[in-house]
Amino acid sequence: MPPRFVAVGVSEKNRGDGNRSARERLQQQREHDKAREKQRRVLIVSAAVVGVLGLAAVVGVIAANSGDGGGSDKAGPVVAPAGSVEGDKPAVPTGTTDAPSTLAIWEDFRCPACAQFENVMRDTIHELEASGALKAEYHLATLIDGNMGGSGSLRAANAAACAQDAGKFTAYHDTLYINQPPETDDAFGKNAKLIELAAKVPGLDTPAFRSCVEDGTHDSWVEKSNEAFRNGGFRGTPSVLLNGESIFPTKGNEQISPENLKKWVAEANKGKKLGTASPSAPAAPSAPAASSAG
């Protein structure tokens, strides 16, 4: 009989050890599942961005071949937003002006892949800008207008340029992408919608901003930027370059991600001084002088 009790005791001990082992395995599995789920979410977003980029590439070819960039019918003088980058590749700059690395982002406010990119990378870009490691240059395109019809790409880009005049480009840029309508819904083609969203940015909804939006003050500047996009040989939007090298959707064999962008910028900036010069406050753009006759 005693051996039977001993056997039972051993059996209970083994069962207890087994329960602890099972709990440990369950906890480890849960931690593993959490890590995999986090990675899966990043990969799903990245895959979605890459997938839409393939469509955007086709759209880009169509737009380039048709010669239709979705611009407005009215021709007018080019009125650049305050503090913008001029030349043959117009852009709105953000971050410290003397940052050692530059991120060039070619985007369309109606582009779903651009929203995917922004929603994944936004915080990292802002963090790198705040540290002085990176400055960004936003080149505004109207690719989706040319493909889907409508004017939301142009109207939103003009409104973003108007926000730049008010020194609130970044906040309004992010608001547009956070509130982006479906690609087939040309909600951004309505100035009233763009002004409504401006109310989400403190201090932006002013008579000057409304007038700039409703008058299409920067339409011709946006069209000039879109022309640069069409002539740039890009596959689609977004097109993202770090110091002139394409990094979207991949850089070499590495896929873009917040962690990889930080790593790539750190590698590019090795031994270089971080930027400290803040951009000067934008001044209201002056109207172009009328050309003299004769």
Side-chain angles (χ1 to χ4, degrees):
M1 295 299 296
R4 183 167 62 86
F5 286 110
V6 170
V8 172
V10 171
S11 176
E12 291 296 334
K13 181 178 184 299
N14 289 343
R15 186 178 297 114
D17 291 344
N19 288 340
R20 284 194 297 273
S21 178
R23 285 195 298 271
E24 291 171 356
R25 287 198 301 271
L26 181 59
Q27 182 62 28
Q28 290 173 351
Q29 184 63 40
R30 285 174 177 169
E31 295 298 324
H32 181 66
D33 289 345
K34 286 181 182 178
R36 290 191 62 183
E37 176 61 18
K38 181 178 180 181
Q39 182 182 35
R40 185 182 72 85
R41 287 196 297 268
V42 173
L43 290 176
I44 286 175
V45 173
S46 298
V49 174
V50 173
V52 178
L53 178 64
L55 174 60
V58 176
V59 172
V61 172
I62 293 172
N65 288 341
S66 67
D68 180 7
S72 64
D73 293 331
K74 65 177 183 179
V78 174
V79 180
S84 62
V85 175
E86 292 310 303
D88 59 353
K89 296 179 181 179
V92 174
T94 62
T96 54
T97 58
D98 58 344
S101 284
T102 301
L103 191 70
I105 306 171
W106 297 78
E107 291 183 326
D108 181 328
F109 285 109
R110 286 182 70 185
C111 161
C114 298
Q116 291 277 7
F117 169 80
E118 286 293 338
N119 292 335
V120 172
M121 304 300 297
R122 176 185 301 115
D123 291 345
T124 301
I125 293 173
H126 291 342
E127 179 184 337
L128 290 168
E129 287 180 328
S131 72
L134 184 73
K135 61 182 175 182
E137 293 181 352
Y138 289 91
H139 303 266
L140 309 181
T142 60
L143 182 63
I144 306 302
D145 285 357
N147 180 59
M148 304 294 296
S151 61
S153 301
L154 174 63
R155 298 265 50 79
N158 172 69
C162 295
Q164 169 66 9
D165 289 339
K168 298 181 181 296
F169 172 83
T170 296
Y172 188 64
H173 164 276
D174 293 352
T175 295
L176 289 176
Y177 278 118
I178 291 169
N179 294 277
Q180 185 190 69
E183 184 180 16
T184 54
D185 179 0
D186 193 33
F188 283 173
K190 300 177 177 64
N191 289 332
K193 179 65 175 179
L194 299 169
I195 292 172
E196 173 191 323
L197 291 174
K200 295 179 178 292
V201 179
L204 178 57
D205 186 7
T206 63
F209 174 80
R210 289 183 173 223
S211 177
C212 182
V213 171
E214 292 168 349
D215 293 345
T217 299
H218 301 299
D219 280 1
S220 293
W221 181 85
V222 173
E223 290 169 353
K224 181 180 177 182
S225 177
N226 184 66
E227 186 71 16
F229 168 76
R230 292 175 56 208
N231 293 335
F234 301 108
R235 294 179 57 200
T237 55
S239 288
V240 186
L241 297 86
L242 177 61
N243 299 325
E245 179 183 2
S246 177
I247 61 169
F248 182 89
T250 60
K251 178 179 181 290
N253 295 323
E254 296 180 291
Q255 189 173 52
I256 193 168
S257 68
E259 294 76 15
N260 277 341
L261 180 59
K262 289 180 181 179
K263 183 184 74 170
W264 298 337
V265 171
E267 290 172 349
N269 290 354
K270 189 174 182 179
K272 298 178 182 178
K273 184 180 178 181
L274 296 179
T276 58
S278 298
S280 58
S286 57
S291 58
S292 58

